[in-house]
Amino acid sequence: MVQWTDFERATIQSVFEKMDYDDVGPAALSRCLVVYPWTQRYFGNFGNLYNAAAIQGNPMVAAHGKTVLHGLDRAVKNMDDIKATYAELSVLHSEKLHVDPDNFRLLADCLTIVVAARMGAAFTADVQGAFQKFLAVVVSSLGRQYH
Amino acid sequence: MSLTAKDKKMVKAFWAKVAGKAEDIGCDALSRMLVVYPQTKTYFSHWKDLSPGSAPVRKHGGTIMGGIGLAVASIDDISAGLLALSELHAFQLRVDPANFKILSHNILVVLAVMFPNEFNPEAHVAMDKFLAAVGRALSEKYR
């Protein structure tokens, strides 16, 4: 089981409490689609993804970005058993969505960059460490049920 | 995933905007790396002070960013431009190349923190590709 320090728990709660989901979700997903363009393979029915401007203006990308970010809420509320919390979502991503689990890591990196940009100097090295540890656990749990 | 003409233009333009803060960027990126990826401290056991923003960290951050600046200037042939640095890393420093990715990530985080408006997705992809190319150039002589 993952051991969390008091600082890490408090940091994760605080970062997500202060987060503007409607801003960060779309920003993270659209950044992922621009920086790692092969991730667009999962969004064939999202319409115009031809360039960065199109991606950032695409309403389906924005909506899905919010959905994905809210998907992290359960992990934030259940930090002591993220693996069990995401078992079903892991199966979904594997069996139904057929998403290569390396993509979770790519999106997590983009989310880190977006949160860093929003928080500025408040995103200290220690906060970065806690945030990346949290996302690493999420990424691992989402890939756990693949076979 | 080689650098296109568009990537090179973007990297040069973005570097022109941020080069003035190169030492701060290097210092912060290195500080973050040592905290968030503590295994990287193994390369600096000869330093007295590994804490964020310490004198050796700031100095070395500046040195690293000097190398990045050299790579920008040599962007049309990074391998040639970084030949001496490549040999240094291969034969003397022998830093495991996985760490180039780790430091690159921390540089990107610092760029996001310090330049949130300029470091848009297009700048991000160009810088990510560029830093990956630098890492490849540095590992060229390893084996």
Side-chain angles (χ1 to χ4, degrees):
Chain A
M1 206 185 77
V2 184
Q3 303 298 332
W4 302 102
T5 64
D6 290 341
F7 172 81
E8 286 164 347
R9 287 180 194 276
T11 297
I12 295 306
Q13 297 309 311
S14 165
V15 169
F16 279 88
E17 244 156 58
K18 298 195 176 94
M19 197 183 284
D20 180 355
Y21 282 66
D22 290 345
D23 164 41
V24 171
L29 183 59
S30 58
R31 190 169 282 251
C32 189
L33 295 171
V34 170
V35 177
Y36 308 108
W38 54 94
T39 57
Q40 293 168 27
R41 75 189 302 284
Y42 301 107
F43 302 105
N45 62 329
F46 269 31
N48 187 356
L49 299 177
Y50 296 138
N51 52 42
I55 290 170
Q56 286 167 262
N58 186 310
M60 289 182 81
V61 171
H64 196 63
K66 290 179 208 175
T67 301
V68 167
L69 191 58
H70 278 292
L72 291 178
D73 289 342
R74 271 186 285 163
V76 175
K77 295 193 176 84
N78 290 291
M79 284 176 70
D80 286 316
D81 202 355
I82 295 179
K83 192 165 79 180
T85 301
Y86 281 145
E88 226 181 286
L89 264 178
S90 180
V91 170
L92 175 80
H93 282 77
S94 166
E95 313 275 290
K96 252 197 96 192
L97 304 175
H98 306 294
V99 175
D100 182 333
D102 195 54
N103 291 285
F104 306 143
R105 185 183 56 81
L106 299 179
L107 181 57
D109 280 351
C110 285
L111 181 58
T112 299
I113 297 279
V114 170
V115 169
R118 299 298 183 270
M119 289 182 66
F123 195 68
T124 63
D126 289 326
V127 169
Q128 181 185 341
F131 193 69
Q132 289 192 196
K133 179 176 168 180
F134 172 76
L135 288 181
V137 174
V138 168
V139 164
S140 167
S141 305
L142 280 173
R144 192 70 180 70
Q145 306 304 325
Y146 279 63
H147 64 94
Chain B
M1 293 200 263
S2 50
L3 296 173
T4 63
K6 183 176 156 200
D7 291 327
K8 292 180 192 178
K9 198 168 159 212
M10 173 63 84
V11 169
K12 283 193 261 199
F14 187 77
W15 181 254
K17 286 186 204 156
V18 311
K21 297 261 182 171
E23 199 189 90
D24 288 334
I25 296 170
C27 180
D28 196 5
L30 196 55
S31 299
R32 284 173 189 274
M33 186 184 81
L34 295 169
V35 167
V36 180
Y37 302 87
Q39 70 273 17
T40 58
K41 293 192 288 187
T42 55
Y43 291 98
F44 305 105
S45 52
H46 56 289
W47 284 356
K48 274 200 198 101
D49 187 358
L50 285 164
S51 59
S54 73
V57 169
R58 172 160 286 277
K59 181 161 174 252
H60 198 60
T63 301
I64 291 172
M65 292 311 280
I68 300 288
L70 177 60
V72 175
S74 318
I75 204 165
D76 287 320
D77 193 346
I78 299 179
S79 296
L82 259 45
L83 182 59
L85 276 174
S86 182
E87 290 181 343
L88 177 75
H89 283 77
F91 303 128
Q92 287 183 44
L93 303 176
R94 290 175 290 194
V95 172
D96 188 312
N99 294 290
F100 301 144
K101 285 196 188 126
I102 291 176
L103 182 58
S104 295
H105 169 73
N106 284 290
I107 291 173
L108 296 177
V109 169
V110 171
L111 293 176
V113 167
M114 289 177 66
F115 305 97
N117 297 317
E118 293 89 335
F119 195 60
N120 56 33
E122 280 148 310
H124 179 166
V125 61
M127 287 305 295
D128 192 20
K129 285 178 75 175
F130 168 69
L131 291 173
V134 172
R136 282 196 301 273
L138 286 175
S139 1
E140 228 173 80
K141 302 266 180 246
Y142 272 57
R143 58 176 176 173

